[in-house]
Amino acid sequence: MAAAAAAAFSSSAPSPTSPSRLTTVSSSSLPSSLSLSRDFHKAQLQAQFKSSPRRNLCVCASSLPPSDSVVTLLDYGAGNVRSVRNAIRHLGFQIKDVQTPADILNADRLIFPGVGAFAPAMDVLNKTGMAEALCAYIEKDRPFLGICLGLQLLFESSTENGPVTGLGLIPGVVGKFDASNGFRVPHIGWDALQIAEDSEILDEIGNRHVYFVHSYRALPSEENKEWISSTCNYGDTFISSVRRGNVHAVQFHPEKSGDVGLSVLRRFLLPKSFPPKKPTDGRASKLAKRVIACLDVRANDKGDLVVTKGDQYDVRENTEENEVRNLGKPVELAGQYYLDGADEVSFLNITGFRDFPLGDLPMLQVLRNTSENVFVPLTVGGGIRDFTDSTGKYYSSLEVASEYFRSGADKISIGSDAVYAAEEYLITKVKTGKTSIEQISRVYGNQAVVVSIDPRRVYLSTPTDVEFKAIKLTNPGPNGEEYAWYQCTVSGGREGRPIGAYELAKAVEELGAGEILLNCIDCDGQGKGFDIDLIKLISDAVSIPVIASSGAGAAEHFSEVFKKTNASAALAAGIFHRKEVPIGSVKEHLWKDGIEVRI
Ligand code: 1PR
């Protein structure tokens, strides 16, 4: 894996002549936009999403931003730093990629968005001489911002696949969250900070949520207390940011924390342009329940990529033409949902099971365009599996996922392939290391791997009728059946498989999935509420976060699912696409009902 990361480093760092190093910035990202009010910023973004294709202005020499608008980025190629790049560009800065240790030492300001696992990251830093340069740069108190793993690597060591020695600048050991006390690991979602001292870059956060996604964390101690600028409580109190002089690092993802996160980056990049403290609003106190907008995407009969929506997975209109239902353009809708307050946006390439996703360039382009302006997490699913094309060329599921990550995804979601992997694992009880779940979570971390389950209710008269976990239903079936099991399907619900949702969820957690997206074919598009029985069953069975999906028709349905089950997030599609219930109303309703949400 270290070799993979090292190879990735050399291949992903842009060459000096690669387009990403050209001084091309969008008209909206010039420094003048830095002082825009929030409303104006929102209007500007709205305009951007509506203009398709996006206009990029090539800035000629006379209008080039001053040299102090260059940010040096340390990207060792182990994951998606596209979002960090996009956020930096969005703020009007240009990026210079680190190619050699000297680039670190010569940087005016350095951002290190560490991604992937601790050991391979340290391996790359040591082998390339970057570790030494980083230590020298930080010890000289030069402007530095580490993000996520970029914070953890500053510590002495980590227990992740270790112990592994870190850069040793901050006393302490990075360890795994303890799932035994009922807190789900990975820690995924929007959480509240306790800001311990004036950290300058955190000054606009106040009581608002920021986005975390990690399984490992550093704990506060006597030895490192002088570094701590904020903590967060998730089972135990961990270090959410550090600061000493010009050196900052944050465990959360500013590039994925919407407006609040952009303020952190902006304050790091322009430290002298802001008053010391800005009054802030917000009411964050703990991990928020997430509201996710989902876009099922596929080509319609004319070949255009559209957002569609199924009725129990049937996405064709009930008309003579029987065309694919078209509810809008993917990039535009995703942008709108970001502005409306969606905590995450998911794209499901619903015909990915039969098409080869790397041949689906429009879908990759959708991700790239969306990630330019959407600063909350993006998940993409559809077609993630090993694949041999018509010329006999083999692609591993890891390669397919990597392309999605490179195009802007923060998480990938696996459907059909996870079912086959779980079936085999339950028979053999052997983790081969070769399944898509294992391959991708090993390289990108399990927090980046979602398994999407598409179960269908199978009614039973008695729970012993099947070998799979059956439950007593709250509402009996059409013939008065009191029980059901939830049969997993593949290929977009077209084929039922000999495995239940309960068995699948437990198996994929063991194989390394970090989250479950739990659909229900019976409820999809019905607007009658989530399948509480199913969601309770699965969210009680696993210790990874579960996203409840299918059936939302009103804000009350979100309250119900959060009150009656242990779901960490709730996802909806139809009500948002048809503008029946805005995301803001869902959140206000949840808040009034006493459920923590990001407002
Ligand atoms: O099997 O790895 O290629 O992944 C295919 C992915 O595409 C899976 O995640 C699968 O759920 C999804 N998919 C396949 N066919 C369909 C279809 O609708 N015909 N969409 C489909 C599944 C379900 C939800 C939907 C919710 C909420 N969509 O994500 O958005 O049910 O809808 P609602 O709020 O309107 O009720 P692979």
Side-chain angles (χ1 to χ4, degrees):
M1 175 151 79
F9 177 79
S10 53
S11 64
S12 80
S15 75
T17 52
S18 84
S20 66
R21 298 195 50 159
L22 296 177
T23 47
T24 306
V25 293
S26 74
S27 56
S28 62
S29 59
L30 291 168
S32 60
S33 68
L34 297 173
S35 57
L36 292 174
S37 72
R38 237 170 120 183
D39 286 351
F40 188 82
H41 173 76
K42 189 167 168 171
Q44 190 196 34
L45 277 177
Q46 246 151 0
Q48 271 175 18
F49 286 121
K50 296 223 158 93
S51 64
S52 174
R54 278 177 38 70
R55 280 177 302 121
N56 275 335
L57 297 183
C58 184
V59 178
C60 48
S62 59
S63 61
L64 275 178
S67 62
D68 67 358
S69 67
V70 174
V71 179
T72 303
L73 188 77
L74 175 50
D75 169 11
Y76 54 92
N80 170 27
V81 300
R82 178 179 276 269
S83 325
V84 178
R85 289 178 186 280
N86 286 335
I88 294 170
R89 291 199 180 108
H90 181 83
L91 293 171
F93 285 79
Q94 295 166 34
I95 295 163
K96 174 176 165 44
D97 279 284
V98 169
Q99 310 278 356
T100 66
D103 292 335
I104 293 179
L105 298 170
N106 295 332
D108 288 327
R109 49 174 91 71
L110 179 68
I111 295 188
F112 180 25
V115 276
F118 197 99
M122 272 315 295
D123 214 32
V124 174
L125 294 180
N126 284 327
K127 281 188 179 139
T128 53
M130 304 281 177
E132 214 176 309
L134 261 179
C135 290
Y137 180 87
I138 290 172
E139 275 161 4
K140 275 196 210 144
D141 192 27
R142 306 283 303 128
F144 173 85
L145 176 63
I147 298 174
C148 194
L149 188 66
L151 172 141
Q152 296 180 6
L153 293 165
L154 302 180
F155 284 80
E156 288 168 317
S157 66
S158 170
T159 60
E160 186 177 3
N161 302 322
V164 181
T165 305
L167 294 172
L169 296 162
I170 305 179
V173 176
V174 178
K176 194 166 185 180
F177 279 111
D178 182 5
S180 64
N181 54 12
F183 284 82
R184 283 165 199 270
V185 181
H187 173 222
I188 298 182
W190 299 78
D191 214 332
L193 303 183
Q194 291 80 49
I195 299 177
E197 67 154 81
D198 241 17
S199 147
E200 292 176 16
I201 68 167
L202 308 185
D203 277 355
E204 278 175 64
I205 295 181
N207 291 323
R208 293 190 284 168
H209 293 94
V210 290
Y211 185 76
F212 288 89
V213 50
H214 58 131
S215 299
Y216 289 80
R217 84 288 182 246
L219 298 178
S221 69
E222 258 318 287
E223 292 71 39
N224 61 33
K225 70 176 185 201
E226 282 171 18
W227 278 89
I228 300 170
S229 55
S230 76
T231 57
C232 174
N233 196 285
Y234 189 68
D236 45 34
T237 296
F238 70 89
I239 298 175
S240 45
S241 65
V242 294
R243 185 250 169 123
R244 187 178 267 185
N246 292 312
V247 175
H248 302 263
V250 290
Q251 179 60 68
F252 58 90
H253 287 265
E255 78 284 9
K256 288 283 143 193
S257 298
D259 272 357
V260 176
L262 292 177
S263 81
V264 172
L265 288 172
R266 197 186 291 122
R267 281 180 174 260
F268 168 72
L269 296 170
L270 293 164
K272 299 208 173 71
S273 320
F274 296 93
K277 183 97 185 167
K278 235 183 108 181
T280 52
D281 49 6
R283 38 198 177 182
S285 69
K286 60 181 179 187
L287 186 69
K289 297 289 186 182
R290 285 169 281 153
V291 175
I292 300 176
C294 182
L295 292 84
D296 289 350
V297 177
R298 62 161 287 171
N300 64 11
D301 299 323
K302 289 188 215 126
D304 302 323
L305 209 59
V306 297
V307 175
T308 189
K309 183 66 218 61
D311 190 357
Q312 298 185 326
Y313 282 35
D314 180 0
V315 298
R316 291 193 175 266
E317 298 280 12
N318 207 359
T319 58
E320 214 169 284
E321 290 77 26
N322 201 224
E323 67 269 28
V324 171
R325 218 168 274 139
N326 181 349
L327 291 165
K329 294 182 181 166
V331 180
E332 218 169 89
L333 271 185
Q336 189 57 52
Y337 294 147
Y338 166 61
L339 298 175
D340 292 347
D343 296 317
E344 267 177 59
V345 175
S346 292
F347 290 107
L348 296 177
N349 184 355
I350 67 169
T351 49
F353 69 89
R354 61 172 182 236
D355 307 324
F356 178 43
L358 295 191
D360 194 348
L361 298 176
M363 186 64 211
L364 296 173
Q365 199 54 43
V366 161
L367 264 181
R368 289 183 196 121
N369 291 350
T370 303
S371 66
E372 280 179 26
N373 291 302
V374 171
F375 299 107
V376 293
L378 295 176
T379 302
V380 66
I384 297 176
R385 65 188 189 286
D386 295 348
F387 189 87
T388 304
D389 72 13
S390 52
T391 66
K393 186 165 169 22
Y394 169 80
Y395 298 85
S396 70
S397 54
L398 178 60
E399 285 172 275
V400 178
S402 297
E403 194 52 42
Y404 274 148
F405 286 124
R406 276 194 289 273
S407 302
D410 301 287
K411 300 189 262 185
I412 54 85
S413 149
I414 308 173
S416 309
D417 202 50
V419 178
Y420 300 125
E423 283 179 25
E424 195 175 321
Y425 175 61
L426 289 176
I427 294 167
T428 63
K429 303 271 182 283
V430 176
K431 290 187 197 169
T432 60
K434 291 186 181 146
T435 63
S436 49
I437 300 171
E438 291 164 282
Q439 287 188 54
I440 301 165
S441 62
R442 192 165 51 241
V443 174
Y444 291 98
N446 64 349
Q447 76 286 343
V449 180
V450 183
V451 165
S452 166
I453 314 183
D454 301 309
R456 184 179 274 123
R457 236 178 265 144
V458 183
Y459 293 105
L460 301 167
S461 299
T462 57
T464 47
D465 286 355
V466 279
E467 57 184 297
F468 309 107
K469 178 88 173 173
I471 52 165
K472 191 162 185 352
L473 295 165
T474 307
N475 301 310
N479 302 309
E481 300 93 337
E482 288 191 38
Y483 298 89
W485 72 287
Y486 288 87
Q487 182 182 24
C488 291
T489 65
V490 294
S491 307
R494 287 168 182 79
E495 186 193 340
R497 299 292 304 178
I499 183 168
Y502 175 88
E503 290 77 18
L504 179 103
K506 290 186 83 70
V508 297
E509 178 177 23
E510 283 178 37
L511 287 171
E515 196 168 31
I516 286 173
L517 163 53
L518 184 57
N519 303 295
C520 177
I521 296 180
D522 308 78
C523 298
D524 176 55
Q526 305 305 294
K528 294 182 186 152
F530 297 95
D531 188 325
I532 301 295
D533 293 336
L534 169 67
I535 296 159
K536 189 164 166 27
L537 172 72
I538 304 301
S539 61
D540 287 346
V542 294
S543 62
I544 52 179
V546 172
I547 302 168
S549 166
S550 305
E556 291 74 15
H557 294 148
F558 290 81
S559 289
E560 184 188 26
V561 78
F562 289 133
K563 284 185 172 169
K564 294 187 177 168
T565 78
N566 283 313
S568 300
L571 170 152
I575 52 165
F576 297 150
H577 303 336
R578 293 188 298 267
K579 303 193 185 347
E580 288 162 6
V581 185
I583 293 170
S585 314
V586 171
K587 290 201 163 177
E588 277 299 335
H589 179 85
L590 289 169
W591 182 260
K592 284 188 189 139
D593 242 0
I595 296 164
E596 179 98 359
V597 281
R598 176 182 75 109
I599 302 264

